[in-house]
Amino acid sequence: MSTKQTSPLVAKLKAGSWYAYVALVALFFILPLLSLVIASFYDGRFFSIVDYEFTLHWYEAALNSGSIRSAFDNTVRIAVPVTIISTIIGTGGAIAYTRHEFPYQDKFKLLALLPIFFPLILLGLGMSMWASVVGLGYGILPAIVGELVWISPIVMFVVSITALGVDPNVEEAARDLGADSVTLYTKVVLPLIKDGVVSGGIFAFVLAWNNYYIVSYLSGVQSTITTWIHGRMTQGFTPVVPAVASLIFYVSLLLVVGAVIFEFREEAKNN
Amino acid sequence: MESLRGAFSDASESDNPLLALLRPPYLFMLPLTLLLLFMFVGPMVAIVLFSIQTGNSISLDPAMWTLANYEEIISGMLGGSGIYGKVMANTVVISAITTATTLVFSYPAAYALARKIKRYKLVFLLMLIIPLFTSVNIRVFGWALFLVQNGVLDSIVGLFGVTDYPSMMYQRWTIILGTTYVYMPFMLFPIYLSLLSIEDTTFEAAADLGANKLTMFRKILLPLSMPGIIIGSLFVFVLSLGADVEAQILGGGSVFTMASNINYSFGYSQNWPLGSAQAVGLLLITLVAGVIILRTIDLREIASRGGER
């Protein structure tokens, strides 16, 4: 124990200043998102906190616009397959890496997780040229394949963390009790890593939903919500853009909060 | 693990090795491996191959290859003609400052989160995680809405009677604000994870032995959090080398970065070989940093720390 005695007031102030600092950093992190939401409900040209004119008009306009709806449809048509496929193959990679031993295991980990560390602009550019060279072309399908490259490794990472926490002897025990391969994976391994798979899947959807760089290089003439927003942003301020961006943000917010609370609840149960 | 392997090798020994690919673990890693070979390794090879071509198509005949693009870039950098030297300097300066500022601001926050904050920890963590899962476009746009004239900041400082101050947008420091903001989570979380593993008893023992705060920081905290600092710094430096949207929206084209220059070569001037030659540099730096990060990260350790949260 520390030999120095500090008065309770000083200790309280010290603890308080740590909280204050983290609160400041957290505020910095959500400041632009807050600005976005404030702007999306504002009716008028010049912001004023004092006489804030509230309106839902921009949301209405966003939901009624044909070009926004088609961009939204394209985003869903990319994000849903990406979520399903990346969850399956990312989980596969995680099970192989964490629950087995095989030659070149470290090389596999290196290849499988490397895309996470690549700047997306580099991935997007390379894929865009590659798509032209191999005749993959541009559109919804190439965008799906492209996003899978970045998102599946992230799923593998998330699932691996969960899978490494599972007792390494369960497979052996199941084998001893006579489980065949199919039973082993569907009845023993998968249920044990279920939480990681669910979080990985949610993160996959949110990342695909928000992806800009890869989609912008591969989707061709099809616009998604993020490329639509980017196009509008560079052309100067249109009041409907904050509303569209906010809508995208609300979906992400709900899912991420859901995923984190889900994790936390499981953890609380286990402790 | 040994006997698990035994169980599988019993079945696979008698068959040909191709059939072994259809059994665990190879069956599980096959889809991911094929996907990455096709759409990750392929595109990166394409960047390298395009950088030595003369036009926007690939010729596999080495006689047709050229180093002219590299010559143009390097001689431009050395001779000071053209923009390459300036762009490179801009990019490295922005990335270095971003790495330094994210480190300085993240470290105390990571320390507080790992050791000091008990109540509302989940709320704080959530607020720090959420930006990571929001499109970079949307976040940068949010900053523009905050900083722009007649924007949110304007109306807040206006309440205090401040109406006349220099424009916040389209400056070099605005880009650095953007990159610091976007990449700070990549610094904060690795340091946070590395600090989680330090036991309270370590500090108590050090205090009993008469170590003061500075000694504890230098001899315990800093060395034990070094992996987090290294991973975070590499992460932030490499990712901010590729920053494009930040420069485009917040910088408004006032400062050219490597990424925006590469993008320009591809989009506007349709010169794929020149763009690729510039991208090869970024690719090499990324590859080295990525391999170092992955060799430093021990997934098993992260998994065991997750439980201590």
Side-chain angles (χ1 to χ4, degrees):
Chain A
M1 273 276 101
S2 175
T3 45
K4 270 181 280 178
Q5 283 298 321
T6 41
S7 75
L9 183 69
V10 174
K12 234 179 195 161
L13 273 175
K14 269 187 181 167
S17 59
W18 285 118
Y19 271 89
Y21 183 70
V22 174
L24 267 180
V25 172
L27 178 68
F28 173 65
F29 271 50
I30 59 162
L31 191 60
L33 299 166
L34 223 53
S35 303
L36 185 76
V37 173
I38 292 175
S40 73
F41 288 113
Y42 188 69
D43 189 16
R45 260 187 82 72
F46 302 115
F47 279 108
S48 168
I49 297 282
V50 188
D51 42 2
Y52 188 86
E53 298 161 51
F54 180 86
T55 180
L56 286 173
H57 175 74
W58 306 122
Y59 284 91
E60 221 180 288
L63 294 173
N64 288 329
S65 148
S67 71
I68 296 174
R69 182 157 299 179
S70 93
F72 176 78
D73 285 348
N74 283 333
T75 303
V76 173
R77 273 161 60 204
I78 295 170
V80 170
V82 166
T83 307
I84 296 169
I85 301 171
S86 68
T87 304
I88 294 172
I89 68 179
T91 301
I95 292 179
Y97 176 67
T98 60
R99 311 300 300 176
H100 295 272
E101 279 171 28
F102 51 91
Y104 303 110
Q105 193 160 5
D106 273 342
K107 300 277 179 301
F108 171 67
K109 170 194 160 196
L110 214 57
L111 169 73
L113 297 182
L114 204 52
I116 301 178
F117 305 99
F118 271 60
L120 289 181
I121 191 172
L122 204 55
L123 291 178
L125 276 176
M127 287 171 184
S128 158
M129 291 190 291
W130 181 248
S132 144
V133 173
V134 298
L136 184 64
Y138 306 94
I140 300 289
L141 182 71
I144 292 173
V145 182
E147 284 192 16
L148 281 175
V149 166
W150 183 59
I151 294 175
S152 312
I154 295 176
V155 174
M156 173 172 156
F157 188 90
V158 173
V159 178
S160 292
I161 299 296
T162 308
L164 283 169
V166 175
D167 186 339
N169 299 314
V170 289
E171 281 97 341
E172 196 183 328
R175 288 274 177 205
D176 289 346
L177 293 171
D180 58 49
S181 285
V182 178
T183 319
L184 174 68
Y185 290 107
T186 57
K187 295 271 161 67
V188 181
V189 177
L190 269 183
L192 282 171
I193 60 169
K194 167 183 107 256
D195 293 351
V197 178
V198 172
S199 321
I202 295 176
F203 289 152
F205 180 81
V206 178
L207 291 172
W209 179 251
N210 281 290
N211 184 275
Y212 165 68
Y213 279 114
I214 295 177
V215 153
S216 75
Y217 281 109
L218 289 175
S219 65
V221 292
Q222 308 280 355
S223 78
T224 66
I225 288 288
T226 49
T227 60
W228 183 89
I229 291 173
H230 187 86
R232 286 304 157 100
M233 255 176 3
T234 45
Q235 286 161 18
F237 184 75
T238 329
V240 77
V241 180
V244 177
S246 295
L247 284 171
I248 293 289
F249 168 60
Y250 300 146
V251 174
S252 315
L253 183 69
L254 274 177
L255 287 169
V256 173
V257 170
V260 170
I261 288 175
F262 172 78
E263 280 268 301
F264 188 74
R265 197 200 47 155
E266 290 294 321
E267 221 169 75
K269 223 194 297 173
N270 294 338
N271 288 343
Chain B
M1 251 347 188
E2 254 335 285
S3 74
L4 179 69
R5 282 178 70 188
F8 285 118
S9 59
D10 280 348
S12 48
E13 254 165 9
S14 54
D15 295 314
N16 77 57
L18 268 181
L19 277 178
L21 286 179
L22 297 176
R23 288 199 191 82
Y26 301 103
L27 173 68
F28 295 144
M29 49 193 274
L30 200 61
L32 184 58
T33 310
L34 290 179
L35 169 77
L36 294 183
L37 286 180
F38 175 68
M39 204 62 180
F40 173 57
V41 177
M44 296 306 118
V45 171
I47 290 181
V48 176
L49 277 180
F50 263 112
S51 73
I52 46 173
Q53 305 297 323
T54 48
N56 284 0
S57 62
I58 285 191
S59 150
L60 289 175
D61 176 11
M64 302 289 287
W65 293 353
T66 169
L67 287 175
N69 298 306
Y70 289 100
E71 271 165 34
E72 186 183 332
I73 295 166
I74 291 168
S75 68
M77 255 162 35
L78 296 177
S81 66
I83 52 166
Y84 295 110
K86 221 173 156 189
V87 165
M88 187 56 136
N90 273 338
T91 311
V92 171
V93 166
I94 288 175
S95 298
I97 296 178
T98 305
T99 311
T101 48
T102 51
L103 178 60
V104 168
F105 288 113
S106 295
Y107 202 96
Y111 175 76
L113 276 169
R115 316 203 60 88
K116 299 286 176 188
I117 303 250
K118 302 278 184 270
R119 273 201 290 170
Y120 308 117
K121 190 170 173 182
L122 188 69
V123 177
F124 285 125
L125 281 176
L126 256 174
M127 285 166 85
L128 300 175
I129 288 171
I130 280 160
L132 264 182
F133 290 96
T134 311
S135 180
V136 60
N137 259 329
I138 293 177
R139 285 178 285 161
V140 169
F141 182 55
W143 273 114
L145 288 172
F146 181 77
L147 294 171
V148 79
Q149 272 191 331
N150 302 314
V152 178
L153 180 66
D154 241 12
S155 79
I156 294 173
V157 298
L159 292 179
F160 301 101
V162 184
T163 47
D164 203 26
Y165 56 88
S167 168
M168 300 278 178
M169 289 287 282
Y170 314 134
Q171 314 282 330
R172 184 188 297 257
W173 75 263
T174 326
I175 301 180
I176 294 174
L177 171 78
T179 50
T180 301
Y181 173 77
V182 170
Y183 302 115
M184 194 157 149
F186 296 95
M187 184 69 90
L188 206 159
F189 286 107
I191 297 179
Y192 167 70
L193 281 173
S194 68
L195 288 173
L196 267 187
S197 70
I198 309 175
E199 304 281 341
D200 287 335
T201 48
T202 316
F203 288 102
E204 284 161 18
D208 284 348
L209 294 170
N212 62 19
K213 286 262 147 71
L214 186 67
T215 317
M216 284 202 239
F217 175 73
R218 274 184 37 228
K219 301 277 177 180
I220 303 173
L221 214 50
L222 204 57
L224 287 174
S225 58
M226 205 37 102
I229 295 176
I230 293 172
I231 291 172
S233 302
L234 286 172
F235 227 149
V236 171
F237 187 77
V238 168
L239 290 179
S240 43
L241 284 179
D244 178 39
V245 172
E246 296 88 340
Q248 210 182 338
I249 304 298
L250 297 175
S254 63
V255 180
F256 253 63
T257 62
M258 203 151 92
S260 51
N261 209 33
I262 294 172
N263 227 346
Y264 181 86
S265 295
F266 279 96
Y268 192 77
S269 60
Q270 285 286 323
N271 191 339
W272 289 12
L274 188 62
S276 299
Q278 296 172 72
V280 165
L282 184 56
L283 175 61
L284 287 177
I285 298 171
T286 305
L287 205 59
V288 171
V291 171
I292 295 177
I293 294 175
L294 278 170
R295 290 214 185 277
T296 319
I297 290 181
D298 186 348
L299 292 184
R300 240 164 265 276
E301 235 181 286
I302 299 178
S304 67
R305 275 173 211 179
E308 295 164 18
R309 252 182 317 199

